[in-house]
Amino acid sequence: MTLAVTTLANGLRVVTLATPGAETAALGLYADTGSRFEDASINGIAHLFEHMVFKGTATRSARTIAEAIEDVGGQLNAYTARDMTAFHARVLGDDVPLAFELIADLIRAPRFDADDLVREKDVVLSELGEARDTPDDIVFDHLQEAAFPDQPLGRSILGSEESLAAIGPEHLRGWLDAQFRGPSCVFAAAGKVDHDALVRMAEGLLGDLPDGAHPDSARASFAGGTRHDRRKFEQAHLTFGYEAAAHRAPDYYPLTLFATAAGGGMSSRLFQELREERGLAYSVYATLTSYDDTGLFSVYLATANNNAAAASALALQVLGRCAEGLDAAELARAKAQLKAGLLMSLEGAAGWAEYLARQMLIHGAPVPPADVIAKVDAVTVEAARDAAQRMLAGPMARAHVGSIKLQAA
């Protein structure tokens, strides 16, 4: 495999991994922008923008875009996160130029037709309604709001009825001009690709992205607190969380391993004690979500309404005991899970393209997987315990969905 990186004059970075013998390729444009860069008045614009570029460009209708990629058996999709937006494709190697041209067309020549915008807002409003009716989805939005209240990082990616109504074509054009700039974007490709050819395509198709950084997002400030959604559902859905490590923080790997040991699988302490031994929850896990300036460690529980208080109390106890008494065997198991998960994700071109793009956006360089594994292996039991104890000593954010009563934490 051959790894190569080139930075264009406008700051756009092109990173590729050519794989001998591959017949397919994965490629995409990844930008370090998302909902945390939005003003409150137009919350949801990053996600709506992602939808709207597929509605047509200066030369292609929405149908033409769909037919163009599917005529060659390819796939073209996108996603929006709080700190990233991606437009990505999977195609046969010979169709890489077409896929690149389609992705570039979405970003460089979107039409933003006013009638299309009205219809697409209805689609997003349906998506918003579905999320609100799905308790194991909406509870995480509530937790995010509790953790980072009155901040972009605490707001929903989907926005609200009021903020979506305020967005017009001019806002979408302004978002494109402000956020999608050369230095904020990475074009990543893996599989049957030719680096020099992709660089030439990038110069021709994306070389006109403006130079200069996009506006910074507001720095996050973890507050903690509680959000209650007392609608009645068959089960109770609960989350609680703590401020955790940012992407490049020293505690990132210790806390990632702690999250895995505490609640990352069926062998984890939370799963074993709450589900297997006590039967208090049918779903329980812990995760670490990191951003550029902060992170959020969270525990999720789905349980019967009458078990909610006991399950929540026990989960907090288990977490505390794990922070105090994490042992070598648990840490070794967590390391094995993380390393295997990383290497399994890199078995295909799509996994490699995503990995390379994220490494470029977070670290500014394509960090080799062996370096990641070395950092995982270097974490000691003491480091994981210390990082977890410091984290749990901080304020807690909490959210639940269901007509339940919980004891004070």
Side-chain angles (χ1 to χ4, degrees):
M1 296 190 291
T2 304
L3 177 67
V5 180
T6 297
T7 302
L8 304 190
N10 66 347
L12 173 74
R13 290 156 289 173
V14 179
V15 56
T16 65
L17 185 73
T19 307
E23 293 298 331
T24 66
L27 60 157
L29 183 71
Y30 298 80
D32 65 347
T33 186
S35 63
R36 71 169 302 180
F37 292 82
E38 300 168 345
D39 291 332
S41 61
I42 52 172
N43 177 211
I45 191 172
H47 177 251
L48 183 59
F49 172 89
E50 174 219 312
H51 276 238
M52 281 298 299
V53 298
F54 283 90
K55 300 305 292 182
T57 69
T59 59
R60 292 181 173 94
S61 66
R63 183 182 185 119
T64 303
I65 294 169
E67 289 177 345
I69 193 69
E70 293 183 0
D71 279 349
V72 298
Q75 301 167 354
L76 178 64
N77 215 328
Y79 65 81
T80 303
R82 287 184 165 87
D83 58 353
M84 182 183 288
T85 305
F87 300 88
H88 54 96
R90 287 291 310 277
V91 289
L92 297 177
D94 291 343
D95 298 313
V96 164
L98 169 66
F100 199 147
E101 203 277 327
L102 287 171
I103 292 170
D105 201 26
L106 297 178
I107 299 302
R108 301 315 297 135
R111 191 171 58 206
F112 297 145
D113 179 79
D115 291 337
D116 287 338
L117 180 58
V118 171
R119 288 190 291 270
E120 204 59 27
K121 283 183 182 182
D122 287 339
V123 172
V124 175
L125 287 172
S126 296
E127 190 177 351
L128 178 60
E130 181 181 358
R132 288 174 175 167
D133 288 341
T134 308
D136 53 340
D137 278 351
I138 199 65
V139 72
F140 288 102
D141 273 356
H142 294 330
L143 180 66
Q144 200 81 16
E145 182 185 0
F148 305 103
D150 302 316
Q151 301 168 59
L153 195 57
R155 291 194 283 267
S156 167
I157 293 173
L158 297 178
S160 66
E161 288 85 354
E162 294 76 19
S163 63
L164 290 170
I167 298 172
E170 70 280 7
H171 296 102
L172 294 168
R173 295 188 188 96
W175 180 260
L176 172 60
D177 293 341
Q179 300 297 327
F180 287 81
R181 310 182 73 84
S184 69
C185 294
V186 169
F187 195 91
K192 190 177 182 179
V193 296
D194 179 284
H195 181 76
D196 292 339
L198 282 168
V199 169
R200 289 192 295 271
M201 282 184 253
E203 289 172 336
L205 296 170
L206 297 172
D208 63 341
L209 282 172
D211 197 352
H214 61 53
D216 285 338
S217 67
R219 188 165 182 83
S221 176
F222 187 96
T226 303
R227 295 294 182 273
H228 302 276
D229 187 335
R230 300 187 184 280
R231 290 177 294 162
K232 292 183 178 180
F233 291 94
E234 287 296 318
Q235 290 85 29
H237 300 263
L238 307 95
T239 59
F240 58 88
Y242 302 86
E243 185 172 23
H247 284 302
R248 295 180 294 276
D251 282 348
Y252 175 79
Y253 287 105
L255 286 180
T256 299
L257 287 163
F258 173 74
T260 303
M266 292 189 295
S267 64
S268 68
R269 290 201 184 196
L270 285 166
F271 190 94
Q272 284 295 312
E273 295 199 37
L274 271 80
R275 175 166 173 157
E276 297 298 285
E277 296 177 16
R278 298 284 294 275
L280 286 176
Y282 67 87
S283 180
V284 55
Y285 58 84
T287 57
L288 174 65
T289 303
S290 293
Y291 303 100
D292 182 66
D293 55 344
T294 189
L296 179 62
F297 172 91
S298 61
V299 173
Y300 166 78
L301 298 164
T303 182
N305 284 297
N306 60 353
N307 286 333
S312 179
L314 180 57
L316 287 167
Q317 293 170 18
V318 169
L319 205 61
R321 290 199 299 268
C322 189
E324 294 288 338
L326 179 74
D327 62 36
E330 289 176 302
L331 183 62
R333 187 182 305 120
K335 289 180 178 181
Q337 288 176 265
L338 284 179
K339 291 185 290 186
L342 170 61
L343 295 176
M344 289 176 184
S345 73
L346 299 179
E347 286 293 312
W352 266 112
E354 179 89 7
Y355 174 83
L356 292 171
R358 287 184 176 275
Q359 294 296 320
M360 292 293 295
L361 290 176
I362 293 169
H363 299 290
V367 179
D371 289 2
V372 174
I373 289 172
K375 291 178 180 179
V376 170
D377 281 335
V379 176
T380 63
V381 169
E382 292 74 21
R385 287 180 182 175
D386 290 347
Q389 290 169 27
R390 288 194 300 271
M391 178 184 71
L392 296 180
M396 181 174 70
R398 197 169 191 167
H400 71 255
V401 176
S403 54
I404 56 178
K405 292 183 179 180
L406 298 178
Q407 299 172 356

